[in-house]
Amino acid sequence: MMDEKIKELTLLLLYLTSWEDDCEPFKCQRSWKGYNFDALNELKNEGYIGGGYKSKSVYFTDEGIKKAEELMCRYLKNCKSHEK
């Protein structure tokens, strides 16, 4: 249970500290990967983030952005991105 919360909060923190970057040929959301590597590896294995092991940042997949926005709504009660 705690591992799941750590993973969710890691994804949320990654999202909250992310920026838009130019990932030719498209734009992507990136964040520094200064978090628990086990949690980052699980998030990558689940398809929420990507990036090489040697890089200092990760990028969000579309699914990862969607999940992070759901977590913002759940933990922070900030549901603006879901009000469509």
Side-chain angles (χ1 to χ4, degrees):
M1 182 67 138
M2 182 57 80
D3 288 342
E4 188 65 26
K5 295 277 188 217
I6 290 170
K7 190 169 55 176
E8 287 179 349
L9 292 171
T10 300
L11 184 65
L12 181 55
L13 286 169
L14 284 166
Y15 184 72
L16 290 172
T17 60
S18 68
W19 68 91
E20 187 175 278
D21 200 6
D22 193 14
C23 302
E24 291 293 332
F26 52 88
K27 299 283 185 194
C28 66
Q29 286 295 118
R30 284 199 170 279
S31 184
W32 299 116
K33 60 179 186 183
Y35 299 95
N36 178 285
F37 285 116
D38 290 335
L40 292 173
N41 288 338
E42 285 187 40
L43 292 170
K44 185 174 182 177
N45 291 341
E46 292 176 14
Y48 294 131
I49 60 173
Y53 288 105
K54 293 183 179 183
S55 68
K56 295 180 180 180
S57 65
V58 295
Y59 64 86
F60 281 86
T61 63
D62 290 341
E63 187 64 29
I65 290 172
K66 181 180 173 188
K67 179 69 173 180
E69 290 174 349
E70 290 171 6
L71 295 171
M72 270 182 44
C73 187
R74 183 185 325 155
Y75 287 108
L76 305 176
K77 307 300 185 222
N78 182 348
C79 302
K80 292 179 184 177
S81 60
H82 286 316
E83 296 173 354
K84 294 186 180 178

